[in-house]
Amino acid sequence: MRGSGDLGVVIERASGSVQLVDNTRSERFATVTGLGDLSHASVVFSRDARYAYVFGRDGGLSKVDILTGRLVKRVMQAGNSIGGAISSDGRVVAAQNYEPGGVKLFDADTLELLAEVSTRDAASGHSSKVVGLADLPGQRFAFSLFEAGEIWVIDVADPRHPVTTRYPNVGRQPYDGLASQDGRYYLAGLFGEDGLALLDTWHPEAGVRRVLDGYGRGTEKLPVYKMPHLRGWALSGGQAFLPAIGHNEVLVADTRDWQLRAKVPVHGQPVFVMAEPSGRRVWVNFAFPHNDTVQVIDVPTLTVVKTLKPGRGILHMEFTPRGDEVWLSSRDDDKLVIVDTATLAVRRELPAASPSGIFFSWRASRIGM
């Protein structure tokens, strides 16, 4: 017997498997295989934190029992998928798709297909890739359309007949999105221009507004080797910490008015910018060729206080529930690195086959995770 609240899932991208880990004991206790192409996989959890839903790059959606270490069911729902979310009542799993585009809604218990939200444009006949899918309170999801430059919110209170609200012309090529921890704001990053698109779900009638517009103005944009990710603990102390596309900077915005307050110079182009659960410090990893480095930013002073070299190909970071440790995936060294957040020293390393995403079950009770 064991509780599920202190467990986690580690994606092993090379072998199409996941490790199941106990983050109190810092150990692996099971491996689940047969999950397909996990080269860009993500995970959400059931409300009771027993089941993990794994979204594979090949369009596979897998339901894994993390207590028994068993693959419960797997369905092929698209040709190319990069993630998903689960509704606030835990009944509906939503998958966002590149190919053929759109969002599919599934019953969380049975993985029965309930409905499909198409992003096909009637005039052109083309469907937009869906990115940045996030859950919102009240059985809603928000997501962005890469080609169409739109943000959509769907209400799945009746999951067989979802209701869609569209916000057009939000900016060029939204590439990812996040929901704030209280579910009020949905923020989409824009790849086609310097800026972000913000929806205040408390005032949806106000529409989507641009924030941090032209943050890179006057500086040369660098080649982008890996798209940054907005998903994660990016909010702390009334400020949002966001990766700048094509710049070696972390942007700091005031969440009261969403104006740019600072730019923190960092080692390379940020991929993940994540705050500790306490909010005191923000951790940053980087795109190639700087993906052997992790930096730690002190929130009160907005300065880098530590630069770590924990391994090659650091793809993801995940904090334990109260932030005493951070787990890092080192893809190119086939290991997980566990760092003490108080001392910034390595506590332990665990073997893993080309690990990428790390997802702990505390996410089950958090909005937008």
Side-chain angles (χ1 to χ4, degrees), residues 176-194:
D176 197 8
L178 68 86
S180 60
Q181 294 165 26
D182 58 5
R184 175 174 180 176
Y185 296 108
Y186 177 78
L187 189 67
L190 302 176
F191 184 70
E193 52 191 298
D194 287 349

Side-chain angles (χ1 to χ4, degrees), residues 22 40 43 57 72 102 121 135 218 227 239 271 328 347 366:
D22 182 319
H40 193 295
V43 175
R57 190 59 183 259
V72 177
D121 178 71
D135 59 285
M227 294 289 278
Q239 300 176 111
V271 175
L328 311 174
R347 282 186 176 178
R366 309 295 169 89

Side-chain angles (χ1 to χ4, degrees), residues 224-227 268-271 285-292:
V224 177
Y225 295 107
K226 183 174 178 59
M227 294 289 278
Q269 292 185 40
V271 175
N285 72 331
F286 302 98
F288 178 85
H290 301 109
N291 57 1
D292 63 343

Side-chain angles (χ1 to χ4, degrees), residues 20 36 45 80 86 88 100 113 126 140 143 156 161-162 175 178 187 194 198 211 254 272 335 351 368:
L20 304 182
F45 292 91
N80 190 335
I86 190 166
S88 55
L113 179 63
H126 298 300
R140 295 174 298 161
F143 56 89
V156 300
H161 302 93
Y175 71 90
L178 68 86
L187 189 67
D194 287 349
L198 179 72
V211 297
D254 190 319
F272 282 99
K335 67 181 181 180

Side-chain angles (χ1 to χ4, degrees), residues 14-78:
S15 56
S17 60
V18 296
Q19 280 195 25
L20 304 182
V21 297
D22 182 319
N23 60 51
T24 288
R25 295 178 175 85
S26 300
E27 65 183 17
R28 172 179 59 186
F29 65 89
T31 298
V32 181
T33 61
L35 279 73
D37 182 357
L38 301 184
S39 58
H40 193 295
S42 64
V43 175
V44 298
F45 292 91
S46 59
R47 284 209 334 179
D48 62 4
R50 175 169 182 172
Y51 298 103
Y53 300 90
V54 183
F55 303 90
R57 190 59 183 259
D58 57 4
L61 169 59
S62 303
K63 181 178 181 179
V64 175
D65 186 333
I66 65 172
L67 287 183
T68 64
R70 181 174 64 93
L71 176 60
V72 177
K73 189 170 184 179
R74 184 168 187 262
V75 297
M76 295 302 296
Q77 59 87 31

